[in-house]
Amino acid sequence: MRALLQRVTCASVQVDERVIGAIDGGWTVLLGVGLADTDAIADRLAQRVANLRAFPDAQGRMNRSLLETGGAALVISQFTLYADTSHGRRPSFTEAAPGDRAAPLVERFIAGLRALGIEVATGEFGAHMVVDLTNDGPVTFLVAQE
């Protein structure tokens, strides 16, 4: 699994011009699922995202986790994180898990965050979404769990 984390002061997602998920601050998580991903990988990635120390402490250092700050997560499925752009001009998505395999793993990741007490808002799997966010820092990390 691959998670592109963006530290945000606020974020929201719309489907059909209707906001379906929003957070005030924390992580926007763009989540890609690969062919080899499993429940165990989703569980480990949820732990890593919740515990990654990338929020400022009293001295302004990146030293606090989402769990420590009480922040939220906006989780958006994004198969394009598995795009292969190394050949030609059109991306290939052969390493991305098909929807019927990816959707349950996205839900497993979300459940893992919620089990840790994190407030989670989500997009709609497979839908065309418009994501609006204010990147704080900017701070962005690509976290892969394999």
Side-chain angles (χ1 to χ4, degrees):
M1 293 183 96
R2 296 176 183 165
L4 183 68
L5 307 178
Q6 294 181 296
R7 192 177 75 189
V8 298
T9 57
C10 61
S12 64
V13 59
Q14 296 178 45
V15 174
D16 296 328
E17 299 181 13
R18 182 177 57 89
V19 174
I20 62 167
I23 63 170
D24 287 329
W27 289 127
T28 292
V29 181
L30 304 176
L31 185 66
V33 180
L35 291 173
D37 290 330
T38 63
D39 286 348
I41 289 171
D43 294 344
R44 283 194 306 272
L45 185 59
Q47 287 284 336
R48 288 185 69 196
V49 168
N51 288 290
L52 184 66
R53 293 176 13 180
F55 293 89
D57 63 15
Q59 291 75 39
R61 291 189 174 138
M62 283 193 237
N63 201 27
R64 299 180 72 211
S65 71
L66 190 62
L67 286 171
E68 293 169 314
T69 63
L74 175 62
V75 179
I76 308 293
S77 62
Q78 188 163 358
F79 75 95
T80 59
L81 288 174
Y82 274 89
D84 178 357
T85 59
S86 62
H87 303 291
R89 296 180 295 168
R90 183 178 190 159
S92 168
F93 301 103
T94 58
E95 295 302 311
D100 62 334
R101 288 194 52 217
L105 290 173
V106 170
E107 289 303 318
R108 177 80 179 222
F109 173 82
I110 291 166
L113 290 178
R114 287 182 173 147
L116 294 168
I118 294 172
E119 174 191 338
V120 180
T122 66
E124 181 181 319
F125 190 90
H128 180 269
M129 295 175 271
V130 175
V131 180
D132 186 28
L133 60 92
T134 301
N135 195 322
D136 180 24
V139 173
T140 304
F141 297 100
L142 179 60
V143 180
Q145 184 70 51
E146 314 213 14

